[in-house]
Amino acid sequence: MPSSIPPLPGLTRYTRWDMVPDGLQTRTMLDRQGLKPGASPVGQVLYHGNSYAPLYETSAAVPKRRVSPAQRAVLDRARALQYECRRCATRESERLGRGRYCAPCRYAMTMWEQHDRAQVLARELVADPAAVLLVVDVAPDSPPGAQGVAVVGVRDREVLYAAEAGEYGSAERGAVLDRLDVLLEGRRVVEEPDFMGPSSRYPHALLRLPTDEPVVPGREPLHPWAVSFTEENPSVSRIWAGWFGWTDRPSYTRPCVPWEWGGGIPMPWSRSLDPAADGLSMARLLHRIADGTEPVWERAAWRVDGHGTGQEVSV
């Protein structure tokens, strides 16, 4: 049942087809005869119980404009293109819809867009003199040398601050937090991990007990640099994942970091007992992504679909 079409005001309404006078026809009836309305409707008839169709005088109808062979060829080609991918020219059995890309090409382009976005983010960070990497390692079972925190400038690849983290609740930890509050105010802070782990290397680990107990209420808002990464302040692993293009499922369009470093996938930055050294390694990684010299996964979607990288495609 079609949606209701209300009656047109000021026109005679006919509630049954046998009430319609001779010489009045709908647009569809005229079209079947190669005609089209030559004047405004003079009446309307009810159909499907809830809709009205305008009625036109047959005597005022005019012939429809004929389509030339050239125009017909153009229309036929336009209809055929609705089934043809504009990127790889593959023909599908159903219309491709808006954009006119087949599923494999749309997948490759989506992955490429995130790859390109990762380089844009890396370039923004490399060009920003206030952008810094905050690296922490405060795992309770780590050796003393790993109980540290470091701040590294992204652009100049310079260690701005490095210190032992101290015990939670101690004067040493308090001094570290105070120093970070001053040093990181107004800066763009980038974290190391994402879903890569361990969670002890997240900045907010500096504010928590070496257990699963939550931080004291009201404490964390005092340290805005400890909040989780955002689109504006992305994590290094998220930038690298987007650039590298690895996914754990063939149809998954969100690049991610491999759970285990193996299978020939290189570890792109160091993870050691020295947070400052790790921060410098990550800063170098961001520079390589910005320069376009950091390797990309050999099976990245836009590399294996056989139709280019995506740079030549306008979305």
Side-chain angles (χ1 to χ4, degrees), residues 75-254:
L75 292 173
D76 291 342
R77 176 57 179 162
R79 293 190 185 96
L81 285 176
Q82 295 178 12
Y83 299 84
E84 184 177 302
C85 177
R86 64 190 302 178
R87 184 168 179 261
C88 68
T90 299
R91 289 194 59 82
E92 300 288 343
S93 58
E94 297 181 0
R95 293 181 181 180
L96 295 174
R98 186 177 181 180
R100 223 181 72 235
Y101 296 110
C102 65
C105 283
R106 189 173 296 279
Y107 171 74
M109 291 165 60
T110 300
M111 297 296 292
W112 168 264
E113 290 168 9
Q114 296 176 78
H115 166 84
D116 187 59
R117 175 61 179 161
Q119 186 175 49
V120 170
L121 289 172
R123 287 175 173 172
E124 290 177 358
L125 293 170
V126 167
D128 186 355
V132 295
L133 285 157
L134 176 59
V135 187
V136 303
D137 198 339
V138 292
D141 56 351
S142 297
Q147 301 288 317
V149 58
V151 178
V152 177
V154 176
R155 187 180 69 174
D156 300 325
R157 286 169 281 186
E158 177 186 359
V159 179
L160 304 178
Y161 176 66
E164 294 184 3
E167 296 287 340
Y168 181 89
S170 67
E172 291 81 1
R173 178 68 64 88
V176 168
L177 298 179
D178 292 340
R179 178 63 179 141
L180 291 176
D181 288 340
V182 174
L183 182 61
L184 301 179
E185 184 177 4
R187 289 183 177 270
R188 192 171 183 180
V189 180
V190 184
E191 305 174 4
E192 171 194 5
D194 187 354
F195 29 73
M196 178 178 179
S199 60
S200 60
R201 299 199 81 162
Y202 283 93
H204 64 233
L206 287 167
L207 310 177
R208 296 179 181 273
L209 291 166
T211 64
D212 293 333
E213 296 180 21
V215 70
V216 177
R219 177 67 166 157
E220 193 163 352
L222 299 178
H223 307 285
W225 47 264
V227 299
S228 299
F229 68 90
T230 62
E231 182 67 24
E232 189 171 327
N233 297 330
S235 68
V236 172
S237 58
R238 184 170 290 275
I239 294 175
W240 177 81
W243 172 265
F244 193 66
W246 185 88
T247 58
D248 56 359
R249 279 170 254 165
S251 60
Y252 196 43
T253 56
R254 181 176 180 177

Side-chain angles (χ1 to χ4, degrees), residues 58 60 273 307:
T58 307
L273 300 181
H307 307 296

